Amino acid sequence: MGLKEQTIAVEPELIELRRYFHRHAERSWEEKQTQQKIKEYLDAEGIPYIEVCRTGVVATIKGPHSSKHTIGIRADMDALPVTEETGCDYASENPCVMHACGHDAHVAVLLATAKLLNEQKENLKVTVRLIFQPAEESIEDSGAYYMKTVSEVLECDRLIGLHIWGSLEAGYASLVEGPIMASADTFDIEIVGRGGHGAHPELAIDPIAAGVALCGEFQRIIAREIGGLEPAVISVTSFNAGTTSNVIPEKAHLSGTARAFSEDTRRQFPEAMERVAKGIAAATRTDISVDYHWGPPVTINDPEVTATGRKAANAVFGADHLITLPPQMGGEDFAKYTNRKAFLMLGGGNKDPKLRFNQHNPRFNIDESALKLGVEYFLRYIEEWEEEIDHELDPSGTFDKNI
Ligand code: NI
């Protein structure tokens, strides 16, 4: 049976798995039931694994002919604090927790991949690590930050992964080398003034006025300190101060996110924000502290690892369905892994664009026909890589002929 037929045969189980994870959505670092289900499935298939980083799992598939060449395939496992509004019959049973980013699909695809690989491990020429990673959505304290140091992960020569993408129609995919997703840092800012009567601002020190000035100055950093061709975003996304209409509060708290597509630009942010905060503090007589949290760096697809993936993806999706998505300002903690790596965007959107909802929307759902394509991509990737390794060891192919 060819790869396509194998993935079609496994499709009903794959969809059932995805719906199970969807129904039992769990937040970052709380993926206990998800981990349990992964373990049960691997046990039933007779695939060895270890538990790592609290709720993570790393499984290994190795056949009698597997070399030391090792590839890791990573799936993130966590859901979001979103109340589901899809109305589907497998909606999340956990209140205010929903797989609104499609990580349920990632886990199901990796499990089905594991099953098919394990069934044919006699033919496997490399070693495969299946990396089930918790807490992708926690910006600083994210799963990859810990998983990247696990020795079974570190020894992978290559790391591949995918993200199901709601705005891209199922049947399409995008895999391009270079930067594909932004760095995604966050910040917290505390402004301390002096509370007082709203009628007498001259007797108080107003932290709100300071915060407003700060929001404006952050946009000046983007417009005046960073080149016009360089993507960069600073968004203040929460501004909390005060309780009533006639009291100037003592404090204001701001938080938000800073994003870039180059490490140089990214490194500019904390310095520029500190400098501006210091200036505004002096000008407004407030005390301002900026707490900058380093999130995932820019996601950069390695050229060689991507080239193998493009061969695989061409075979799975067809050249006319392997498109180039523009870079995304969203971040992805896959970027934290230090291995050479490539990340594919797997179209999962409904055929009707009106029924497509973006990632993190309460009505986000996927076209499940995309799942089997994800499995086929991983399987073909391994085949392509095995061929490349064979060719490297024996460029003329004479060794094969002699057998
Ligand atoms: Ni995601």
Side-chain angles (χ1 to χ4, degrees):
M1 204 166 24
L3 284 186
K4 210 165 263 304
E5 291 72 32
Q6 289 174 33
T7 56
I8 290 169
V10 87
E11 190 176 24
E13 188 179 355
L14 179 55
I15 290 174
E16 199 184 306
L17 278 168
R18 183 252 158 178
R19 292 184 179 189
Y20 175 89
F21 293 118
H22 194 88
R23 199 176 280 126
H24 300 97
E26 294 171 300
R27 288 192 62 181
S28 307
W29 295 121
E30 292 170 9
E31 307 94 337
K32 277 268 152 222
Q33 207 174 349
T34 306
Q35 184 192 41
Q36 187 58 32
K37 178 77 175 174
I38 292 168
K39 283 161 48 185
E40 282 168 15
Y41 190 88
L42 295 171
D43 280 334
E45 296 296 325
I47 300 170
Y49 60 82
I50 52 168
E51 286 174 58
V52 291
C53 306
R54 274 148 60 186
T55 46
V57 175
V58 178
T60 301
I61 300 181
K62 210 174 176 165
H65 309 296
S66 289
S67 66
K68 279 213 173 87
H69 289 100
T70 304
I71 184 164
I73 313 178
R74 172 273 207 174
D76 43 7
M77 302 156 63
D78 55 333
L80 286 158
V82 170
T83 299
E84 181 156 356
E85 291 175 19
T86 60
C88 66
D89 56 7
Y90 51 89
S92 174
E93 288 172 5
N94 295 335
C96 197
V97 189
M98 176 194 172
H99 268 296
C101 199
H103 300 184
D104 49 345
H106 305 167
V107 178
V109 164
L110 192 51
L111 283 175
T113 304
K115 179 195 175 96
L116 294 179
L117 275 175
N118 192 52
E119 282 172 3
Q120 305 154 67
K121 65 179 175 200
E122 309 300 313
N123 305 325
L124 200 60
K125 295 179 193 157
V126 296
T127 302
V128 184
R129 301 262 192 233
L130 308 151
I131 300 163
F132 298 90
Q133 179 217 297
E136 192 278 327
E137 304 282 0
S138 306
I139 296 272
E140 194 175 21
D141 189 40
S142 82
Y145 179 79
Y146 301 93
M147 296 287 280
K148 71 176 183 186
T149 62
V150 171
S151 59
E152 285 76 4
V153 173
L154 277 173
E155 68 191 32
C156 293
D157 304 296
R158 292 179 169 209
L159 201 58
I160 58 172
L162 60 76
H163 207 303
I164 193 130
W165 213 240
S167 54
L168 181 63
E169 188 183 333
Y172 287 80
S174 170
L175 178 61
V176 281
E177 68 170 67
I180 57 159
M181 293 181 89
S183 59
D185 303 329
T186 58
F187 54 84
D188 281 282
I189 294 170
E190 190 169 65
I191 305 173
V192 182
R194 188 163 65 227
H197 200 298
H200 289 285
E202 78 281 12
L203 301 176
I205 295 176
D206 184 0
I208 294 180
V212 168
L214 202 53
C215 290
E217 275 301 291
F218 285 168
Q219 299 322 309
R220 189 199 54 80
I221 295 173
I222 301 292
R224 304 286 83 179
E225 296 194 29
I226 291 166
L229 294 175
E230 186 63 31
V233 167
I234 300 177
S235 291
V236 174
T237 54
S238 83
F239 189 143
N240 291 301
T243 50
T244 187
S245 56
N246 61 354
V247 176
I248 292 172
E250 185 94 0
K251 291 179 182 177
H253 181 262
L254 276 62
S255 67
T257 183
R259 305 196 170 215
F261 257 89
S262 81
E263 203 53 30
D264 283 350
T265 302
R266 183 191 190 203
R267 298 277 150 188
Q268 271 180 263
F269 288 146
E271 182 278 320
M273 291 167 76
E274 283 277 356
R275 170 166 41 78
V276 159
K278 219 170 158 188
I280 288 175
T284 59
R285 298 172 294 155
T286 53
D287 285 318
I288 304 182
S289 59
V290 178
D291 213 353
Y292 194 89
H293 313 290
W294 297 101
V298 182
T299 306
I300 299 172
N301 279 344
D302 175 272
E304 256 182 66
V305 180
T306 304
T308 314
R310 286 189 60 86
K311 283 190 259 174
N314 253 319
V316 178
F317 303 96
D320 55 336
H321 282 57
L322 182 58
I323 59 150
T324 299
L325 271 186
Q328 312 285 315
M329 285 316 285
E332 167 58 60
D333 90 336
F334 187 69
K336 290 183 181 174
Y337 291 96
T338 53
N339 314 61
R340 296 170 66 205
K341 54 191 182 291
F343 199 61
L344 172 122
M345 307 305 258
L346 175 69
N350 199 290
K351 278 217 176 329
D352 180 353
K354 278 186 246 110
L355 296 175
R356 274 181 225 159
F357 296 95
N358 284 337
Q359 248 69 17
H360 296 203
N361 184 293
R363 282 184 284 172
F364 172 83
N365 205 347
I366 60 162
D367 178 338
E368 290 172 319
S369 69
L371 297 172
K372 60 179 179 304
L373 302 176
V375 176
E376 191 186 343
Y377 166 70
F378 285 147
L379 296 175
R380 282 201 194 275
Y381 191 103
I382 292 167
E383 276 196 359
E384 290 290 349
W385 191 44
E386 286 175 336
E387 257 179 55
E388 285 172 20
I389 294 166
D390 270 355
H391 189 71
E392 252 169 59
L393 294 176
D394 177 32
S396 63
T398 45
F399 180 68
D400 271 354
K401 281 180 209 139
N402 289 341
I403 289 180

